[in-house]
Amino acid sequence: MNIRGPLSFSEVDLQSISELISIIDCSLYQKSTDMLHQATDSNAALLFEIDKVKQQRRLLAASSTERFDEDIGAHLDTLITYQLEHQPHQYYLIPDQVHQRYPHATYLVNHQIEGYLGTLVNHTASGDRIYLFISLTQSPITEPAMLIQWHRLVSQVVMQYRRYQHQTNRTDVLLNRLNYEVSHDDLTNLMNRSFLADTLERLVSASQSQFSFSLGMLDINDFKYINDLYGNYIGDQVLRFVAHAISACVQDEQLTFRIAGDEFAFITFDPQPDMVCQEILTRIRAGYQDVAHHIRISASIGIARHKEESNNADQLLLNASLALKNSKKLCQPDICCYDTHLSEEYHRKNQVIDALRDALSKDLDEPQELYAVLQPIVRQHQLNWNYFEVLCRWQSPVLGDVSPTEFIAAAEQSGLIIEFGYRVIELACLAKQQIEQSLGQKIRLSINCSAYELNQQHDYIQTLKERITHYGFYPGEFTIEITETALLSQRQVTRNILSNLRDAGFKVALDDFGTGYSSLNYIHNYPIDCIKIDASFIKNMLCNDTSEKVVSLIIQLANQLGVDLVAEGVEEEQSLARLYEMGCTQIQGYLFSAPLQPEMVIHQLLGQKESN
């Protein structure tokens, strides 16, 4: 029997201790028992992990002078149980005669185990899981202090590893959670817009000479209506339903994305991406259904394909969004593939917006690109014109003549419409001032007001009054024209705005009358001074019985309400005669005059004076 006692720390190679401390994987358990066994000259050095709650024990590592052919844990069960129940402090020492105290423990008896030292170390802060280090010696333990020192060293190294492992695991969990949160959409669990951008960058770089793919962008039609009607909770369920429909058709979860409120995207390598789109739309058209609801849903999809020599990721995103916008604009079909003409339209629109912004930035004393033209509104038998609608024209040094339809749409889309409206007021006042000073007679002007300006009612009315007062004019010299579609929402607010305009002294005219879907039903509720019949009815009046009946009905309505009436777009003598016959006596259109610049209006009115 070897009776060498435990080695001192100085007798053990410091390099071995250093190597033990540097281990950061589970091999540390075995290395620890190896060192403990070697340094203490034990029969066996053991390391158990004990779960006190589940009352389970697991041998993590064992080092012995000979190979274990039996379950050493079972042989030590009584001894370990006694230590846990009656010696719960850190160390439990039996210096000699262990095999005699536990004669039923076969291993202890067979190996004539004399000494036992068990060291308990809490594995967790709650103490429900612990480590138990055991040294079994075949000689009595005569130097327990040194043996305990070795147990303390090894247990501290193992616990340091456990703390490191805990921190590493926690860090991994936090990193995984953070990675999930920064890459996923919380509501639908699809990937988010940021991840889409990164994915496109990777795919575009990887696919330069390997493969092509398609990017689809999907938008739920009329989702705001669904949200407003059913509430945000059901709206969220609809979003999840659509996300599930996309995921069911695009198998790779990292290729499906929610990129905005009701806007989604997906990437497919299918050579026929339109078939994938049709499958998605078919699922969506089935509608969202729960116990209390069955909501019909439709969606629009824009597709942009990336081929070997195609554009970068940003351009691909832009192309898909342009295709989606075109799909929603056309309504049918639901799927639109990108075409180069969409980019041409997009760049043209941006050019118009940039040029319009520059035009509006010029002071009024500078040469103007935007200018006012006036079209007369002529009463039957009237010899001298004194009432004009103010229209705006644009001669851009960069773009040439830009149509009103194009630049007004650009102003609305870019948020320049308010500034544009104020500029038109200034141009109208300057034109009125020029004409009146040249002719020595007063004229009345009609100025268009957009729905956007109505939404800024206080600022608009205040600015309107300030500008016309600045030029020495009065509200009664102006009529404010609003389009019929501006009346279709927020009716009480609109009614208040129109009342405020009239209270300030302005006349109010309703432009493009007859184009709204319920105009005849609610027009009597608004404070209106004049109705302007839309030009489309006038142009079709002679060849379409329905148009003529609509015009006749509007004339009767105006008479019943006691408001003025103007027919727009009159270009033929026959139309003029028929309107006079039906009782409409105020006419606007090319039959009398095209819109004229102030100089030409002056010339025209001077000619009328001479003729009279």
Side-chain angles (χ1 to χ4, degrees), residues 53 64 97 155 175 182 200 207 223 247 253 313 315 348 359 453 483 498 514 522 548 586 612:
V53 175
S64 176
Q97 300 181 348
S155 65
L175 286 174
V182 300
L200 287 176
S207 65
F223 179 71
S247 298
E253 64 178 16
Q315 188 63 51
R348 168 68 181 185
E453 291 168 292
T483 58
L498 300 187
Y522 65 73
E548 183 175 6
Q586 286 193 102
N612 293 338

Side-chain angles (χ1 to χ4, degrees), residues 127-157:
D128 57 347
R129 300 179 73 179
I130 59 177
Y131 284 130
L132 173 60
F133 294 88
I134 295 176
S135 287
L136 302 175
T137 65
Q138 291 177 303
S139 59
I141 299 174
T142 58
E143 299 181 54
M146 186 56 66
L147 186 58
I148 289 173
Q149 286 280 41
W150 277 108
H151 270 234
R152 180 179 293 123
L153 170 67
V154 172
S155 65
Q156 287 177 350
V157 171

Side-chain angles (χ1 to χ4, degrees), residues 52 80-92 118-122 130:
K52 295 170 70 174
I80 292 173
T81 301
Y82 179 84
Q83 178 174 0
L84 293 175
E85 293 179 355
H86 302 287
Q87 303 289 336
H89 42 73
Q90 187 174 8
Y91 302 106
Y92 177 43
T119 300
L120 294 173
V121 183
N122 284 336
I130 59 177

Side-chain angles (χ1 to χ4, degrees), residues 216-228:
M217 294 184 74
L218 179 149
D219 185 86
I220 303 173
N221 298 331
D222 301 318
F223 179 71
K224 185 179 184 303
Y225 167 78
I226 295 174
N227 233 8
D228 291 344

Side-chain angles (χ1 to χ4, degrees), residues 340-351:
T340 53
H341 83 274
L342 296 177
S343 282
E344 293 169 3
E345 291 177 2
Y346 172 78
H347 291 303
R348 168 68 181 185
K349 182 179 71 175
N350 284 340
Q351 282 183 313

Side-chain angles (χ1 to χ4, degrees), residues 402-418:
V402 184
S403 75
T405 301
E406 185 176 17
F407 68 71
I408 290 174
E412 291 176 344
Q413 293 168 8
S414 63
L416 293 171
I417 190 65
I418 304 296

Side-chain angles (χ1 to χ4, degrees), residues 297-318:
I297 305 170
S298 64
S300 301
I301 298 179
I303 306 173
R305 303 184 188 221
H306 179 274
K307 299 181 180 178
E308 291 80 358
E309 62 284 345
S310 189
N311 294 312
N312 59 30
D314 289 339
Q315 188 63 51
L316 192 62
L317 274 169
L318 175 61

Side-chain angles (χ1 to χ4, degrees), residues 36-233:
L36 192 61
H37 173 59
Q38 175 190 357
T40 59
D41 192 31
S42 64
N43 168 264
L46 311 169
L47 173 58
F48 288 95
E49 182 183 48
I50 299 173
D51 189 327
K52 295 170 70 174
V53 175
K54 297 180 179 180
Q55 297 185 339
Q56 292 178 346
R57 177 175 63 236
R58 181 165 67 103
L59 181 65
L60 297 180
S63 301
S64 176
T65 54
E66 55 189 76
R67 185 171 177 271
F68 290 120
D69 292 325
E70 48 200 331
D71 182 3
I72 184 66
H75 289 281
L76 300 178
D77 183 67
T78 304
L79 183 52
I80 292 173
T81 301
Y82 179 84
Q83 178 174 0
L84 293 175
E85 293 179 355
H86 302 287
Q87 303 289 336
H89 42 73
Q90 187 174 8
Y91 302 106
Y92 177 43
L93 175 66
I94 304 176
D96 54 29
Q97 300 181 348
V98 171
H99 65 282
Q100 295 174 359
R101 296 190 186 192
Y102 296 93
H104 299 295
T106 307
Y107 182 87
L108 300 178
V109 173
N110 290 345
H111 293 82
Q112 293 293 295
I113 300 301
E114 286 285 337
Y116 171 90
L117 177 62
T119 300
L120 294 173
V121 183
N122 284 336
H123 185 331
T124 58
S126 62
D128 57 347
R129 300 179 73 179
I130 59 177
Y131 284 130
L132 173 60
F133 294 88
I134 295 176
S135 287
L136 302 175
T137 65
Q138 291 177 303
S139 59
I141 299 174
T142 58
E143 299 181 54
M146 186 56 66
L147 186 58
I148 289 173
Q149 286 280 41
W150 277 108
H151 270 234
R152 180 179 293 123
L153 170 67
V154 172
S155 65
Q156 287 177 350
V157 171
V158 170
M159 288 309 299
Q160 185 64 33
Y161 163 69
R162 281 300 305 153
R163 282 189 286 271
Y164 165 80
Q165 189 180 52
H166 174 73
Q167 291 296 331
T168 301
N169 291 341
R170 185 174 180 180
T171 300
D172 289 344
V173 169
L174 291 174
L175 286 174
N176 289 336
R177 184 183 302 169
L178 179 62
N179 182 62
Y180 184 89
E181 289 177 354
V182 300
S183 61
H184 284 71
D185 171 60
D186 288 339
L187 179 65
T188 62
N189 292 326
L190 299 184
M191 313 309 290
N192 60 23
R193 188 183 191 95
S194 176
F195 194 84
L196 170 61
D198 293 341
T199 302
L200 287 176
E201 290 286 357
R202 291 195 300 271
L203 288 176
V204 168
S205 298
S207 65
Q208 292 298 325
S209 59
Q210 298 178 34
F211 52 81
S212 62
F213 62 90
S214 298
L215 170 65
M217 294 184 74
L218 179 149
D219 185 86
I220 303 173
N221 298 331
D222 301 318
F223 179 71
K224 185 179 184 303
Y225 167 78
I226 295 174
N227 233 8
D228 291 344
L229 183 61
Y230 297 100
N232 291 337
Y233 175 78

